[in-house]
Amino acid sequence: MSGCLKIYFLSLVLWLPAMGVAQNAIIGSVRDQKTKEALIFLHIIKSGTTESYLTNDDGFFRLNSVQMTDTIEFVYLGYESKKIAGKDFKPKMIVELSPNSILIEEIKIIANDDYLISMVEKCTKKSKKAFSATSKAYLEINSQDEFGPLELLRFYYNASIKGPKVEDLRLKNGQAALINDPKRYFISLGTSQAILLLNPLDNNDRYPMLPLSMNRKNIKKHFWLTKLPELADQDILRVEFEPKNDIGKYFRGEIWMRKSDQQMLKLVLLSDNTRIHPFEPFKPEDVISNLGFNVTYHFNKVSDGIAMSLLEFNFTFDYEDHKSSIPEHRKISTQGILHFYDYSEPFFIPLFYYNPNHNDYRKIALIPYDSIFWSHHQGLEFTEAQRQRMEVFEKNGFKLNFDEKKKDVDTSATEDDFLAQGHFFEHNNIVWKKNTFIRLPPKPSIGGRRYAHFVVQLFFDVHQHEKRLYYTTKTIFDIFNTNYELEMNKEELIFFNIYFDLCEIERIKMEQKYQRLLQLQK
């Protein structure tokens, strides 16, 4: 136990930043100057930093830390950017951007046009040479069917990125909400893994192909290329690509790049009925069909370079549930965003082990609720539609990591058992509480031996908000890595609970040492 504590404290000493003072929050909206329509997912940059913000589906934004001396830049591809000084911000300010005018009519250029093919090839080479970087990232996923909301997922990660490829997502914390209707259960178990599998610069057998992953010969063979109308910014080239045949095997879409250096600025991937995708039904006998993709990559300024700032995705498909003799057909749609918003200062990832191959729900079920973290990290400003969805989950849904819940200690139930009983989230690791007595199910030994391998982890997490540090510690009984062959009689249960209590004492010691470190840091 003491060896683990030394590792914890070494990490903390190296990481602790300086303390600071709180700053002012700004709420406003961004509109098209001509049409007054909301500009959704617009990129907002604070000058001199790599920190960025987004507008929501209604065009609203929240800037958590704006100083009078700051300069805030509003950037939206296809629009003229605008800079506003921090001292000029007003409450509920409306920012208007002017669209870039289109200078020439559309010109069709087929795939044997050497100029377009050459530019696509150069864009691919440029993207493959992009620097690797780590950013704080926020992932939000909403799924619904024809009857209403099905699920809501919210995650915070450290994301490793290289060009348009998300190479890794290390979980900081997450929340999930699921509709409480056995006839409408829908669970996105692996959306984060699906994101990691998508690499626009390389062919794989899990997604359709596109020109960026092909050589000149194959581009000519499989795609038509179109040069789209130029904007007022004549350094931007927009190339539309369409598959010549076998549409379900290839993406169609657009590539936006700078002519001067072939830097990718935007990538749109579309497919109406793809046969190639990484998604699997919840039960082997179910069927997913008519799957459509709409994925958009956005790239923006980060310090002195360009990096991915946003990944939008929209999946629609038909789901056939074969739990009865007559299959039930449902139309499902999933919308999501993955926002890379701070390349300068990644999260401190919790000191806590779990199997990285766990699905998304399992991962957030294993990490304890952190009220301080969620009070400081609310994702995008909530839209009216989001508030209505949350009301549905409040009235008739399961919620995980939205508040502190007592965990079910029965580790013998299966996922199907818990779905049937309405307790999908409750067979997870157990957090130590003062008045909790854990009753483990018996697991008698076939050979008559008595064996126990109880695993308890000391969870430690630190996060920073407005230059202040907050921490969370928990003593957690690790159900998934615990093994035993015991009858679990009264004496054995008492023994285990005493062991759990002793681990809680070690957590208290760890927290006391950390508090002394904070005093030294001050």
Side-chain angles (χ1 to χ4, degrees), residues 206 285 323 337 352 508:
R206 307 307 296 271
E285 63 269 22
K323 63 185 175 183
I337 61 164
F352 182 74
I508 295 171

Side-chain angles (χ1 to χ4, degrees), residues 368-370 401-407 431 433 474:
Y369 174 67
D370 188 338
N401 263 5
F402 280 84
D403 51 25
E404 193 76 49
K405 294 290 187 183
K406 181 180 178 181
K407 304 291 188 181
V431 177
K433 293 181 181 178
K474 302 283 185 181

